[in-house]
Amino acid sequence: MFRTGRALLGRRGVLSAGVRHASTTTGHAGGSYRRFGRTLGVWAAGSAALAGAGYYAARDEIEAFDSEEPAPELRLAPGRQFRGYPVVDTTASTRERLVVLGSGWGAVAVLKTLDRDRYDVVVVSPDNYFIFTPLLPSATVGTVEFRSVLEGIRRITKRVRGAYIEASAVDVDFDSKCVLIEKPGEGRVWLPYDRLVVGVGAQSITHGATGLEHCHKLKTILDARSMRQHIMANFEKVMLPTTPDDEKRRLLTFVVCGGGPTGCEFAAELHDLLTEDLKHYFPQSVREMVRVVIIQSRDHILNMMDSVISEFAERQFARSNITVVTNSRVQAITETSLRYSTRNADGSTTEHELPQGFVLWSTGVSLTPFTQLLCQKLPETQRNRHAITVDTRLRVKGVADGSVYALGDCATVEYPNMLEHINELFESAHHADATEITRSEFSTFVKSATAKFPCAAGHFQSLERNFDYFDANHNGRIDRSEFRGMLEFVDAKLTALPALAQVANQEGVYLGRALSTLAALDADRSSDAEQRRRAEELAVPPFAYHHRGTLAYLGRAAAADFGEGQAYKGSNLAAKYLWRSVYWSQQVSLRTRFLLMMDWIKELLFGRDLSKF
């Protein structure tokens, strides 16, 4: 009398409450329902606990400002034109105007950290939302829904009583302190600023490959939606009786160009989709045709992480039948194939052609058209081809008054060269009548050096821990040549910061606090630019990045690199949910925390949505 085709909610191995046989007794059915009720009770209690934690975590977040009056609308200055375009009126306020370009990690961190009522804030971005980019790979396969990784930028700007303009920056005039913004089809307008924060992100680098119009990039929510549609369209086309077997194999060959975190996490999520969901709705003959290939130019994937994690990821992917091709560069992509070359051990190269039905391009970043233009206006100081060069206080180099800042993927911090300071540092480290540095003197030196160069604090502390290693003659003292080796070590470690969300977030937090401090300075506005710069440098310390670990999801496995040889790796559900809990805690609002929690529960109970829309 109780009969189901498959176990109720049992597809995940979480609960089996279905009654399989018509002769099953009522008592057995009652026991199944009781187990079902207990399981739901546990989930409800866990959900309530998470919701409560989210509530208390969100008391200082954007929900607290929802009921406040929004900022007034911006208007044009009557009769004012500049270089052929109208100008936004700025006469209504006596406070400095802070213009923030972009709505990514860096820009949002500035808005969430900045003291209220310090500036008239205007945010300019073509997207009226912030994207939680680490979860974009999950959105491509339906593990989480698109709106669960988005937060409206107007809600975030409301915290600082800021205005928002949906437009893109296309030009900047440093002398007049105006940025030209444009919304396609709506014209252009100059927006004056007192301080400008550039956080417009970056675009994918091509590395000389052709045919990138046939690839997906995973930068925006529209990219994730397009990828999700493409994946399901390929599977549905394979099921057509008219599709030949060779075409089926091509359609089900998914290629990832780039072995960084984004590429590896997408490959892992795609494998989860296949093994956890598609197996229930597509025959085995189709599933056996699926091939996932990662093409990496270096000798290991996740090469920015510890080698232990790279090797763990490669073993994990091998068990999941994900092919990893290393020491290879993509040459060209067509609509149906991909050509790449592999560097052999003897230095020769071998050309390969791979039929493909889907390509993700995830191979680094470069300047956008606007940041290229900005750099061209400062040719003496902006020579980096991949990012805007900023000093250790995130000020764009070459702007005389220091009023322009850049952060996130579009910027790179220019660190001091320690060897250039060797005489000054060596003399400060030992007594005047000595030529070598003792261990105790070096400990004192590390404290003063980290205060002067906070960007290198971790590396100086590493020198102290490894004092004996650099003491080549083992006499308990460091002479000048050994000290030079120490500084060379620090210089080698002071490389460009990676294009990670946590880097942009830390830069945004730093800059928000720095701008709040600068606004509070009782400085003489009539002083010249150099005097004002010196006053600001005394008030604001340099930016120091603190690496808090790099995460990577590898398909029912996860890994984290905390630096200094400290790494975590796990290939079980605990690792998967640990990875999820970290990203859950980093959400910008209670709303997205709740939506993510519901998405994960829904995926656990019912699986991913396989609809193509």
Side-chain angles (χ1 to χ4, degrees), residues 369-448:
F370 173 72
T371 50
Q372 286 178 5
L373 177 66
L374 187 151
C375 292
Q376 290 168 5
K377 290 177 176 288
L378 305 167
E380 298 299 320
T381 53
Q382 297 295 328
R383 298 174 181 174
N384 191 309
R385 294 182 300 169
H386 303 295
I388 301 170
T389 303
V390 298
D391 64 15
T392 54
R393 288 173 174 81
L394 305 186
R395 297 173 300 201
V396 174
K397 294 185 72 66
V399 179
D401 63 356
S403 63
V404 182
Y405 307 83
L407 74 174
D409 292 356
C410 70
T412 183
V413 180
E414 184 178 72
Y415 289 119
N417 188 302
M418 294 302 162
L419 278 178
E420 294 179 356
H421 301 271
I422 185 170
N423 292 331
E424 170 194 349
L425 294 175
F426 188 74
E427 293 301 323
S428 68
H430 63 78
H431 293 298
D433 56 348
T435 59
E436 294 181 321
I437 306 170
T438 66
R439 188 184 296 270
S440 61
E441 289 172 341
F442 191 78
S443 296
T444 303
F445 161 76
V446 167
K447 294 177 182 177
S448 62

Side-chain angles (χ1 to χ4, degrees), residues 343-360:
R343 186 175 65 256
N344 303 316
D346 60 2
S348 62
T349 59
T350 304
E351 299 288 331
H352 306 270
E353 186 161 356
L354 178 66
Q356 55 80 17
F358 178 102
V359 179
L360 170 63

Side-chain angles (χ1 to χ4, degrees), residues 271-284:
H271 176 264
D272 286 354
L273 174 68
L274 175 67
T275 58
E276 295 177 359
D277 296 276
L278 296 182
K279 71 176 184 180
H280 297 296
Y281 305 103
F282 290 85
Q284 184 175 352

Side-chain angles (χ1 to χ4, degrees), residues 11-12 47 50 135 138-150 221 228 269 276-277 576-577 580 584 587 591-609:
R11 60 184 305 283
R12 297 271 163 194
S47 300
L50 289 175
L135 289 177
S138 297
T140 63
V141 298
T143 305
V144 300
E145 294 300 329
F146 301 120
R147 292 198 177 275
S148 301
V149 297
L150 302 179
I221 204 67
R228 187 167 170 179
E269 292 281 0
E276 295 177 359
D277 296 276
K576 174 178 179 177
Y577 284 98
R580 286 184 174 181
W584 185 87
Q587 295 302 303
R591 170 189 162 275
T592 52
R593 283 191 179 95
F594 181 79
L595 289 177
L596 278 179
M597 181 177 65
M598 298 307 297
D599 283 347
W600 288 329
I601 292 175
K602 181 178 64 176
E603 183 260 339
L604 181 69
L605 289 174
F606 309 111
R608 297 169 177 86
D609 183 6

Side-chain angles (χ1 to χ4, degrees), residues 58 61-68 70 108 111-112 116 123 128-130 147 150-164 588-593 595:
E61 292 184 358
I62 59 177
E63 280 80 12
F65 308 100
D66 281 347
S67 60
E68 293 195 2
V108 166
L111 296 173
K112 292 194 68 178
R116 304 186 78 194
V123 179
N128 72 340
Y129 50 81
F130 161 77
R147 292 198 177 275
L150 302 179
E151 187 56 74
I153 197 65
R154 288 188 179 275
R155 296 189 75 201
I156 299 172
T157 57
K158 206 171 182 185
R159 178 190 171 275
V160 290
R161 298 187 177 92
Y164 166 72
V588 299
S589 69
L590 175 60
R591 170 189 162 275
T592 52
R593 283 191 179 95
L595 289 177

Side-chain angles (χ1 to χ4, degrees), residues 350-589:
T350 304
E351 299 288 331
H352 306 270
E353 186 161 356
L354 178 66
Q356 55 80 17
F358 178 102
V359 179
L360 170 63
W361 187 265
S362 177
T363 60
V365 296
S366 64
L367 292 168
T368 65
F370 173 72
T371 50
Q372 286 178 5
L373 177 66
L374 187 151
C375 292
Q376 290 168 5
K377 290 177 176 288
L378 305 167
E380 298 299 320
T381 53
Q382 297 295 328
R383 298 174 181 174
N384 191 309
R385 294 182 300 169
H386 303 295
I388 301 170
T389 303
V390 298
D391 64 15
T392 54
R393 288 173 174 81
L394 305 186
R395 297 173 300 201
V396 174
K397 294 185 72 66
V399 179
D401 63 356
S403 63
V404 182
Y405 307 83
L407 74 174
D409 292 356
C410 70
T412 183
V413 180
E414 184 178 72
Y415 289 119
N417 188 302
M418 294 302 162
L419 278 178
E420 294 179 356
H421 301 271
I422 185 170
N423 292 331
E424 170 194 349
L425 294 175
F426 188 74
E427 293 301 323
S428 68
H430 63 78
H431 293 298
D433 56 348
T435 59
E436 294 181 321
I437 306 170
T438 66
R439 188 184 296 270
S440 61
E441 289 172 341
F442 191 78
S443 296
T444 303
F445 161 76
V446 167
K447 294 177 182 177
S448 62
T450 54
K452 185 174 183 178
F453 302 102
C455 57
H459 306 308
F460 279 121
Q461 291 163 4
S462 178
L463 294 179
E464 185 177 9
R465 291 192 298 269
N466 295 279
F467 184 92
D468 293 334
Y469 173 82
F470 289 97
D471 181 15
N473 56 13
H474 304 293
N475 66 348
R477 293 178 173 83
I478 297 294
D479 60 26
R480 188 180 182 85
S481 63
E482 292 167 341
F483 189 74
R484 182 181 184 87
M486 286 180 158
L487 296 188
E488 288 175 347
F489 167 83
V490 174
D491 282 339
K493 293 293 184 180
L494 283 176
T495 56
L497 295 175
L500 297 174
Q502 68 168 305
V503 174
N505 182 70
Q506 288 190 35
E507 289 176 339
V509 170
Y510 163 84
L511 188 55
R513 291 171 178 165
L515 290 170
S516 299
T517 300
L518 296 178
L521 282 177
D522 188 17
D524 183 4
R525 301 264 178 215
S526 64
S527 60
D528 61 31
E530 187 58 32
Q531 289 177 334
R532 189 171 182 182
R533 177 187 286 265
R534 285 197 295 268
E536 292 179 355
E537 289 183 352
L538 290 173
V540 178
F543 168 71
Y545 172 65
H546 302 285
H547 186 64
R548 297 191 175 98
T550 304
L551 297 175
Y553 177 64
L554 304 171
R556 288 197 170 233
D561 180 10
F562 300 104
E564 297 289 334
Q566 301 180 42
Y568 165 82
K569 55 186 187 299
S571 54
N572 49 41
L573 282 176
K576 174 178 179 177
Y577 284 98
L578 177 63
W579 173 82
R580 286 184 174 181
S581 68
V582 171
Y583 285 147
W584 185 87
S585 68
Q586 293 177 346
Q587 295 302 303
V588 299
S589 69

